[in-house]
Amino acid sequence: MSSIQRSKEQLSLRISEVLDDIGVSDEMIQKRRQAALFRESIVHVLDKGKTTMYSFGSQSEGTTTEGINSDDDVLFCSPYFIVINDWSHWKQGEVNLLMVQDQTTAPGYCLLQLLRSDVPLAEEYIPNVMFCMDNKGRVIKKNTALHQIFARLGMVQHGPAAMSPMRPGQRETDFVSALPCLQWPTEARRWLTRDNVGGWPTAPLKSESENCGCFLVPADSTISGLVGVEWRISTTLAERHLMFSLNTIHMKCYVMMKVLLKSYDVFHDVISSYMCKTVLLHCVENTMVDFWQERNLITCFDKLLCVLYNFIAHVQCPHFIIPENNLMAGKISPLQQQRLLEVLARIIRSEGRMLLDIQIDHIGERIRQKFSRLPVFHAYIESRLVMHRLVSGQLSHNSAQDIINSIKTYLYIYNGNCCENTIKQMVCSYGDIRKLYPQLNNIQKKSLSYLSQYLCTTIGSMIASYYISKHGRIPNIAIEWLQSGLNTDVSSCLLKLATVYYSVGKLNVTEDILTRIDQTYDRNVVLPACGCIAGEGQLHKEGFDIAANNGQVNDLRNIVSYCVIFMYQEVNIVPLELRQEFFRSSQEEIQRRHPVEDRWMIYAVVDSLPYLYLLQYKVYNSLGKNEEKLRALQKLKNVMNEEPRIQHKDTVYNLLGQCMEHENLPNEAFHYYERSLQVRPQHNAANFYMARLLS
């Protein structure tokens, strides 16, 4: 082996170590993938087995880092249409859309022609504004139908995707609405028999990829001239399946390419990460398996760059499965092409040395440290263990947010229903969800466990509220439902049980439950999870990050505390101090609520920890334990200093104000109401409390 080869091998090994340090290791890649699949599985379970949402892109593939901070890509499927590519797949009684590819459509794109639902014939009349008639007399589905809906939700349209406004501390999310198609079109099926050099992808892998089906994404091509009617054939689910089959070295090379894209301005908005992924897939298909080794990392990386250089030189980046679809068509001007080739040529000639200048994730500095005999560790460069803990903590926190946000969305369906009907409907829904269990994979079973237990708690709480209003007591069935949901998280469901017992005066039982919560709530580990309010995002808690890193990203029961959510159907068990939260908004404010982000305002919601202290204060007051009561009140006063992750700060100040009123301290009560309004000037029950106090 020559000295140049040894030097290149050493550099490859050091860069591989650095990528491990920043989270591009097999363990962390799998954790990122688990988090994405867990997010999908929640929707799958709540939708009773019909998956309508997918997480795609770098986050779901595990090919991102804290420095790259890739967007979340979410694809929603519409269940209202049946897309077919052959008349033999027509279904009676359904809204059938036929994929049409002719001389007017670009490769990898199609039109969707509406068919009649009673007989397998073409529809002749335009049914609504979602369709139009083309110059051949065909009724064609438009691709712009959802633009107005996205606009009303405050989203910004960017091609087929709609970007949600970015909350502080959170990543941007790109939402795409697509139509599913179970069969691949002919131009995609040719990939199934395409030869490869190194035996990847294997025939079984290709077959599994085909079984993933495809999506029709509302997007016009840049070359056909058609406007508002073309649909791009997307094989993203199959591509994700292919990416999951690759090894860690493939992933590291892909991440290195994305780091370059982010580090050089010339690539911005010209070369996408999807193009880089396409380059990777082509390279893997056309190389031997043993080429992709850790000691060969720089050579592998150079191979990818050379293929990308060739694609740019010819302005031809063939889609991996539908190569007739040129991903660079109409995307690169001659001037951009010249600049891209110049920069890429310099990078290739450097043989990996340009990575020493990369500032993202401090990659350059980390590589230098690996080569130094006496490395100088900077405070701003986290160790591998710390980085892995941070990533694990963030992924677990995101999973907890996914659970509670999905639950709130699910509960919203029952808004406005009477208590009795809601109980019946939720019990039926619970039964339908439990029936899914035998056909679910392990991740989906974990989601079902969390969601079904939370539903048990809500059903039990509603039954208790209903019986209290009708009979002034709690039936055993309500307690059985409540006890079935106690393992959802550290505190919120236990607090519901304590609330039920308190509402009928069982103070000693309530005290015992609250003491249990107080003893098991490890404030150094447990992280509040809410998701209601746009705040500063998760503040890292070292104990939580350590626990998350030691387990799976969806092992949340002992480290997460959800906010306590009361629907109006539970009003008879809700403490008086919280009931006004149902009416936090004036009629004018209700009209201005955001249709999605402000949905939580129909509930009475409070963070678990301050609610624990409120219940302790009330119970000890009723039991005449004055010392314990004052201690609980002091904890309630200090809670936001001790736990800065509290979300519903305005509600906590309102609770404190009412406690001060009870203690006959009106000036302090007024002070807390003022602080509440400083946090949330509108949609705040403090307006009512202040008016009552002044009167």
Side-chain angles (χ1 to χ4, degrees):
M1 181 186 297
S2 68
S3 60
I4 295 177
Q5 288 176 314
R6 281 197 299 270
S7 176
K8 206 168 186 179
E9 182 174 307
Q10 287 181 351
L11 180 59
S12 295
L13 295 174
R14 298 299 180 269
I15 292 174
S16 182
E17 290 176 11
V18 166
L19 291 169
D20 284 334
D21 291 346
I22 63 174
V24 193
S25 62
D26 184 63
E27 178 188 4
M28 301 311 296
I29 289 171
Q30 294 305 321
K31 282 196 172 188
R32 289 186 186 275
R33 291 175 179 177
Q34 281 182 2
L37 295 176
F38 184 70
R39 185 182 192 184
E40 287 181 11
S41 69
I42 295 171
V43 178
H44 180 84
V45 170
L46 285 180
D47 201 37
K48 300 173 186 176
K50 300 176 182 178
T51 300
T52 57
M53 186 275 282
Y54 295 90
S55 292
F56 289 127
S58 301
Q59 295 291 341
S60 68
E61 293 164 355
T63 54
T64 187
T65 68
E66 292 296 288
I68 295 175
N69 193 29
S70 303
D71 296 345
D72 282 325
D73 296 324
V74 176
L75 184 144
F76 288 97
C77 287
S78 171
Y80 306 113
F81 299 97
I82 302 294
V83 179
I84 60 177
N85 60 12
D86 187 281
W87 283 90
S88 63
H89 298 136
W90 176 87
K91 291 185 179 181
Q92 188 173 21
E94 302 284 355
V95 182
N96 294 269
L97 297 172
L98 177 67
M99 293 175 63
V100 176
Q101 293 181 288
D102 54 25
Q103 67 277 9
T104 66
T105 57
Y109 290 77
C110 68
L111 305 176
L112 294 177
Q113 181 182 4
L114 180 64
L115 308 182
R116 289 174 56 174
S117 59
D118 54 347
V119 291
L121 294 173
E123 180 60 74
E124 298 177 354
Y125 302 98
I126 300 175
N128 53 52
V129 295
M130 297 170 62
F131 296 87
C132 64
M133 189 83 71
D134 72 356
N135 55 15
K136 294 184 179 180
R138 299 174 296 197
V139 178
I140 301 297
K141 180 165 173 53
K142 298 177 184 177
N143 64 20
T144 57
L146 291 175
H147 289 186
Q148 291 183 343
I149 296 177
F150 286 140
R152 285 200 297 271
L153 295 176
M155 297 181 176
V156 179
Q157 199 73 32
H158 183 70
M163 291 186 295
S164 63
M166 189 168 61
R167 287 179 164 191
Q170 296 185 358
R171 290 184 300 270
E172 283 187 353
T173 301
D174 291 341
F175 293 95
V176 174
S177 180
L179 304 179
C181 181
L182 297 179
Q183 302 85 29
W184 276 11
T186 302
E187 59 182 348
R189 291 181 57 82
R190 288 194 284 268
W191 172 77
L192 299 172
T193 56
R194 191 167 80 200
D195 293 332
N196 56 62
V197 172
W200 183 94
T202 62
L205 183 58
K206 285 186 175 183
S207 178
E208 293 166 4
S209 301
E210 183 191 12
N211 291 337
C212 292
C214 63
F215 301 106
L216 284 305
V217 176
D220 294 319
S221 72
T222 58
I223 60 176
S224 69
L226 297 174
V227 178
V229 292
E230 258 186 320
W231 295 73
R232 187 176 73 234
I233 300 168
S234 171
T235 54
T236 47
L237 192 56
E239 291 161 21
R240 187 176 77 177
H241 191 65
L242 293 173
M243 291 292 287
F244 282 10
S245 74
L246 299 180
N247 64 36
T248 308
I249 301 305
H250 297 127
M251 300 298 103
K252 288 181 176 180
C253 288
Y254 181 33
V255 168
M256 289 163 68
M257 288 190 75
K258 291 200 286 188
V259 166
L260 280 181
L261 292 187
K262 200 171 180 73
S263 299
Y264 290 84
D265 292 340
V266 68
F267 295 112
H268 293 180
D269 300 323
V270 182
I271 304 299
S272 66
S273 60
Y274 184 73
M275 291 179 187
C276 292
K277 179 166 69 176
T278 302
V279 168
L280 172 68
L281 294 175
H282 279 295
C283 283
V284 178
E285 183 185 47
N286 291 294
T287 52
M288 300 301 293
V289 175
D290 58 2
F291 174 73
W292 301 89
Q293 297 184 33
E294 186 176 38
R295 59 182 174 80
N296 209 27
L297 185 62
I298 291 298
T299 304
C300 296
F301 181 49
D302 287 344
K303 173 75 173 177
L304 295 181
L305 296 180
C306 288
V307 172
L308 178 60
Y309 184 96
N310 186 54
F311 284 173
I312 295 173
H314 295 88
V315 196
Q316 182 75 29
C317 180
H319 186 279
F320 183 64
I321 293 177
I322 307 175
E324 295 83 3
N325 179 9
N326 176 17
L327 303 180
M328 290 182 176
K331 302 287 180 64
I332 302 177
S333 69
L335 180 59
Q336 287 173 325
Q337 180 190 30
Q338 180 182 351
R339 291 175 177 172
L340 289 169
L341 293 176
E342 289 174 356
V343 173
L344 265 180
R346 289 201 305 270
I347 293 172
I348 294 170
R349 286 195 300 270
S350 77
E351 296 185 327
R353 290 188 299 276
M354 57 37 190
L355 291 170
L356 295 171
D357 299 324
I358 298 297
Q359 297 180 7
I360 295 173
D361 292 307
H362 308 297
I363 286 177
E365 186 62 37
R366 288 177 184 274
I367 295 172
R368 287 189 175 89
Q369 287 183 4
K370 296 293 181 183
F371 277 103
S372 177
R373 293 181 180 178
L374 296 172
V376 179
F377 292 99
H378 298 286
Y380 57 83
I381 299 182
E382 296 86 355
S383 68
R384 177 183 301 185
L385 181 59
V386 171
M387 284 296 295
H388 286 198
R389 286 174 176 174
L390 290 173
V391 173
S392 297
Q394 187 65 62
L395 292 173
S396 292
H397 179 258
N398 291 345
S399 293
Q401 299 278 73
D402 291 337
I403 290 174
I404 195 64
N405 285 334
S406 297
I407 287 171
K408 281 182 284 192
T409 301
Y410 174 81
L411 296 179
Y412 188 81
I413 299 171
Y414 303 100
N415 179 39
N417 292 3
C418 73
C419 186
E420 189 174 4
N421 288 341
T422 300
I423 292 170
K424 291 177 181 178
Q425 292 168 2
M426 290 186 72
V427 169
C428 289
S429 181
Y430 172 81
D432 292 339
I433 289 174
R434 293 298 304 178
K435 289 177 185 177
L436 296 173
Y437 192 85
Q439 55 188 283
L440 301 179
N441 60 38
N442 290 335
I443 292 180
Q444 291 168 340
K445 286 177 180 178
K446 182 70 72 73
S447 297
L448 186 146
S449 174
Y450 284 121
L451 297 170
S452 61
Q453 287 190 12
Y454 200 100
L455 290 184
C456 286
T457 298
T458 304
I459 291 169
S461 181
M462 283 188 183
I463 293 173
S465 177
Y466 177 77
Y467 267 75
I468 288 172
S469 68
K470 298 292 184 181
H471 310 291
R473 64 180 181 85
I474 306 170
N476 290 334
I477 187 66
I479 300 302
E480 290 174 8
W481 278 102
L482 284 160
Q483 289 178 335
S484 296
L486 294 185
N487 290 327
T488 306
D489 68 331
V490 172
S491 58
S492 69
C493 293
L494 271 169
L495 285 168
K496 278 281 188 85
L497 180 62
T499 302
V500 168
Y501 279 123
Y502 177 79
S503 65
V504 290
K506 294 189 176 183
L507 300 178
N508 291 323
V509 179
T510 307
E511 182 186 10
D512 290 342
I513 296 172
L514 297 177
T515 301
R516 171 185 167 186
I517 298 171
D518 207 1
Q519 291 173 346
T520 57
Y521 195 114
D522 187 343
R523 290 153 186 77
N524 295 317
V525 174
V526 177
L527 194 74
C530 178
C532 291
I533 301 168
E536 298 179 355
Q538 178 207 6
L539 297 173
H540 284 283
K541 182 180 284 191
E542 184 178 6
F544 176 84
D545 293 343
I546 292 172
N549 191 52
N550 291 337
Q552 302 296 318
V553 294
N554 51 22
D555 291 339
L556 305 170
R557 285 187 172 89
N558 298 319
I559 60 175
V560 163
S561 171
Y562 298 120
C563 53
V564 184
I565 304 171
F566 291 104
M567 300 176 68
Y568 192 72
Q569 291 90 328
E570 303 168 78
V571 67
N572 296 301
I573 68 163
V574 178
L576 292 175
E577 291 84 355
L578 270 177
R579 291 187 186 182
Q580 193 61 34
E581 298 295 322
F582 288 118
F583 313 104
R584 60 168 49 242
S585 303
S586 66
Q587 289 299 316
E588 182 181 347
E589 288 172 339
I590 290 174
Q591 299 302 316
R592 295 199 301 268
R593 283 180 181 173
H594 190 279
V596 175
E597 293 185 2
D598 292 338
R599 279 182 176 179
W600 65 271
M601 292 184 182
I602 66 171
Y603 312 121
V605 191
V606 60
D607 296 86
S608 280
L609 202 54
Y611 186 55
L612 165 66
Y613 298 146
L614 172 73
L615 286 182
Q616 286 181 328
Y617 170 81
K618 291 172 68 65
V619 168
Y620 292 138
N621 181 69
S622 300
L623 290 173
K625 297 182 177 182
N626 192 57
E627 185 177 340
E628 288 86 347
K629 179 194 76 168
L630 294 177
R631 189 181 300 122
L633 181 58
Q634 190 59 45
K635 287 181 179 179
L636 184 58
K637 289 181 179 180
N638 296 337
V639 67
M640 282 183 287
N641 294 327
E642 297 175 357
E643 180 51 89
R645 299 153 192 85
I646 296 295
Q647 288 278 298
H648 296 275
K649 294 181 174 64
D650 56 320
T651 302
V652 177
Y653 285 131
N654 290 340
L655 298 179
L656 279 166
Q658 292 172 86
C659 291
M660 293 302 105
E661 287 193 66
H662 184 270
E663 296 294 321
N664 197 27
L665 298 170
N667 290 334
E668 288 195 36
F670 194 85
H671 166 71
Y672 280 119
Y673 297 143
E674 283 187 317
R675 294 189 68 177
S676 177
L677 286 171
Q678 289 171 1
V679 173
R680 181 173 295 277
Q682 298 177 330
H683 306 285
N684 193 334
N687 289 301
F688 167 80
Y689 298 132
M690 292 180 77
R692 184 185 66 183
L693 184 62
L694 290 171
S695 69

